[in-house]
PDB file of all heavy atoms in Angstrom:
ATOM      1  N   ASP A 374       8.868  25.814  18.547  1.00  0.00           N
ATOM      2  CA  ASP A 374       8.604  26.474  17.364  1.00  0.00           C
ATOM      3  C   ASP A 374       7.402  27.445  17.484  1.00  0.00           C
ATOM      4  O   ASP A 374       7.403  28.571  17.006  1.00  0.00           O
ATOM      5  CB  ASP A 374       8.278  25.497  16.226  1.00  0.00           C
ATOM      6  CG  ASP A 374       8.020  26.191  14.887  1.00  0.00           C
ATOM      7  OD1 ASP A 374       8.898  26.942  14.430  1.00  0.00           O
ATOM      8  OD2 ASP A 374       6.928  25.917  14.326  1.00  0.00           O
ATOM      9  N   ASN A 375       6.349  27.017  18.231  1.00  0.00           N
ATOM     10  CA  ASN A 375       5.175  27.829  18.427  1.00  0.00           C
ATOM     11  C   ASN A 375       4.676  27.666  19.850  1.00  0.00           C
ATOM     12  O   ASN A 375       3.936  26.731  20.140  1.00  0.00           O
ATOM     13  CB  ASN A 375       4.098  27.425  17.415  1.00  0.00           C
ATOM     14  CG  ASN A 375       2.868  28.342  17.458  1.00  0.00           C
ATOM     15  OD1 ASN A 375       2.752  29.170  18.364  1.00  0.00           O
ATOM     16  ND2 ASN A 375       1.984  28.261  16.487  1.00  0.00           N
ATOM     17  N   PRO A 376       5.073  28.603  20.727  1.00  0.00           N
ATOM     18  CA  PRO A 376       4.721  28.437  22.136  1.00  0.00           C
ATOM     19  C   PRO A 376       3.225  28.536  22.433  1.00  0.00           C
ATOM     20  O   PRO A 376       2.788  28.132  23.504  1.00  0.00           O
ATOM     21  CB  PRO A 376       5.445  29.605  22.828  1.00  0.00           C
ATOM     22  CG  PRO A 376       5.677  30.608  21.732  1.00  0.00           C
ATOM     23  CD  PRO A 376       5.903  29.828  20.506  1.00  0.00           C
ATOM     24  N   ASP A 377       2.394  29.004  21.441  1.00  0.00           N
ATOM     25  CA  ASP A 377       0.981  29.141  21.646  1.00  0.00           C
ATOM     26  C   ASP A 377       0.250  27.828  21.412  1.00  0.00           C
ATOM     27  O   ASP A 377      -0.947  27.670  21.714  1.00  0.00           O
ATOM     28  CB  ASP A 377       0.393  30.229  20.773  1.00  0.00           C
ATOM     29  CG  ASP A 377       0.923  31.622  21.136  1.00  0.00           C
ATOM     30  OD1 ASP A 377       1.212  31.807  22.314  1.00  0.00           O
ATOM     31  OD2 ASP A 377       1.052  32.468  20.260  1.00  0.00           O
ATOM     32  N   GLU A 378       0.946  26.895  20.772  1.00  0.00           N
ATOM     33  CA  GLU A 378       0.349  25.535  20.497  1.00  0.00           C
ATOM     34  C   GLU A 378       0.333  24.675  21.690  1.00  0.00           C
ATOM     35  O   GLU A 378       1.227  24.655  22.499  1.00  0.00           O
ATOM     36  CB  GLU A 378       1.158  24.827  19.420  1.00  0.00           C
ATOM     37  CG  GLU A 378       0.883  25.285  17.960  1.00  0.00           C
ATOM     38  CD  GLU A 378      -0.439  24.743  17.450  1.00  0.00           C
ATOM     39  OE1 GLU A 378      -1.096  23.980  18.145  1.00  0.00           O
ATOM     40  OE2 GLU A 378      -0.825  25.156  16.349  1.00  0.00           O
ATOM     41  N   THR A 379      -0.762  23.968  21.876  1.00  0.00           N
ATOM     42  CA  THR A 379      -0.915  23.067  23.002  1.00  0.00           C
ATOM     43  C   THR A 379      -0.477  21.665  22.635  1.00  0.00           C
ATOM     44  O   THR A 379      -0.072  20.847  23.473  1.00  0.00           O
ATOM     45  CB  THR A 379      -2.360  23.040  23.512  1.00  0.00           C
ATOM     46  OG1 THR A 379      -3.242  22.699  22.454  1.00  0.00           O
ATOM     47  CG2 THR A 379      -2.675  24.402  24.076  1.00  0.00           C
ATOM     48  N   ASP A 380      -0.635  21.353  21.385  1.00  0.00           N
ATOM     49  CA  ASP A 380      -0.226  19.975  20.866  1.00  0.00           C
ATOM     50  C   ASP A 380       1.275  19.914  20.814  1.00  0.00           C
ATOM     51  O   ASP A 380       1.925  20.722  20.171  1.00  0.00           O
ATOM     52  CB  ASP A 380      -0.803  19.741  19.521  1.00  0.00           C
ATOM     53  CG  ASP A 380      -0.409  18.339  18.991  1.00  0.00           C
ATOM     54  OD1 ASP A 380       0.677  18.126  18.551  1.00  0.00           O
ATOM     55  OD2 ASP A 380      -1.356  17.437  19.052  1.00  0.00           O
ATOM     56  N   PRO A 381       1.887  18.945  21.576  1.00  0.00           N
ATOM     57  CA  PRO A 381       3.396  18.891  21.627  1.00  0.00           C
ATOM     58  C   PRO A 381       4.051  18.884  20.252  1.00  0.00           C
ATOM     59  O   PRO A 381       5.100  19.520  20.061  1.00  0.00           O
ATOM     60  CB  PRO A 381       3.656  17.640  22.443  1.00  0.00           C
ATOM     61  CG  PRO A 381       2.405  17.396  23.254  1.00  0.00           C
ATOM     62  CD  PRO A 381       1.286  17.901  22.322  1.00  0.00           C
ATOM     63  N   ALA A 382       3.505  18.146  19.335  1.00  0.00           N
ATOM     64  CA  ALA A 382       4.187  17.985  18.041  1.00  0.00           C
ATOM     65  C   ALA A 382       4.187  19.364  17.292  1.00  0.00           C
ATOM     66  O   ALA A 382       5.208  19.713  16.698  1.00  0.00           O
ATOM     67  CB  ALA A 382       3.425  16.915  17.197  1.00  0.00           C
ATOM     68  N   PHE A 383       3.048  20.045  17.291  1.00  0.00           N
ATOM     69  CA  PHE A 383       2.986  21.334  16.638  1.00  0.00           C
ATOM     70  C   PHE A 383       3.727  22.393  17.427  1.00  0.00           C
ATOM     71  O   PHE A 383       4.322  23.283  16.842  1.00  0.00           O
ATOM     72  CB  PHE A 383       1.565  21.722  16.414  1.00  0.00           C
ATOM     73  CG  PHE A 383       0.835  21.004  15.333  1.00  0.00           C
ATOM     74  CD1 PHE A 383       0.009  19.931  15.561  1.00  0.00           C
ATOM     75  CD2 PHE A 383       1.107  21.321  13.960  1.00  0.00           C
ATOM     76  CE1 PHE A 383      -0.583  19.207  14.537  1.00  0.00           C
ATOM     77  CE2 PHE A 383       0.533  20.574  12.946  1.00  0.00           C
ATOM     78  CZ  PHE A 383      -0.366  19.571  13.203  1.00  0.00           C
ATOM     79  N   ARG A 384       3.717  22.265  18.737  1.00  0.00           N
ATOM     80  CA  ARG A 384       4.446  23.213  19.606  1.00  0.00           C
ATOM     81  C   ARG A 384       5.997  23.199  19.199  1.00  0.00           C
ATOM     82  O   ARG A 384       6.643  24.195  19.136  1.00  0.00           O
ATOM     83  CB  ARG A 384       4.305  22.876  21.047  1.00  0.00           C
ATOM     84  CG  ARG A 384       5.035  23.744  22.014  1.00  0.00           C
ATOM     85  CD  ARG A 384       4.667  23.328  23.449  1.00  0.00           C
ATOM     86  NE  ARG A 384       5.532  24.116  24.414  1.00  0.00           N
ATOM     87  CZ  ARG A 384       5.211  25.335  24.827  1.00  0.00           C
ATOM     88  NH1 ARG A 384       4.128  25.935  24.354  1.00  0.00           N
ATOM     89  NH2 ARG A 384       5.978  25.981  25.726  1.00  0.00           N
ATOM     90  N   LEU A 385       6.475  21.972  18.953  1.00  0.00           N
ATOM     91  CA  LEU A 385       7.929  21.801  18.609  1.00  0.00           C
ATOM     92  C   LEU A 385       8.174  21.920  17.109  1.00  0.00           C
ATOM     93  O   LEU A 385       9.311  21.944  16.678  1.00  0.00           O
ATOM     94  CB  LEU A 385       8.397  20.420  19.120  1.00  0.00           C
ATOM     95  CG  LEU A 385       8.416  20.239  20.587  1.00  0.00           C
ATOM     96  CD1 LEU A 385       8.789  18.790  20.881  1.00  0.00           C
ATOM     97  CD2 LEU A 385       9.432  21.161  21.280  1.00  0.00           C
TER      98      LEU A 385
END
Side-chain angles (χ1 to χ4, degrees):
D374 182 57
N375 188 346
D377 296 328
E378 280 284 355
T379 56
D380 183 282
F383 285 101
R384 181 179 174 82
L385 295 174

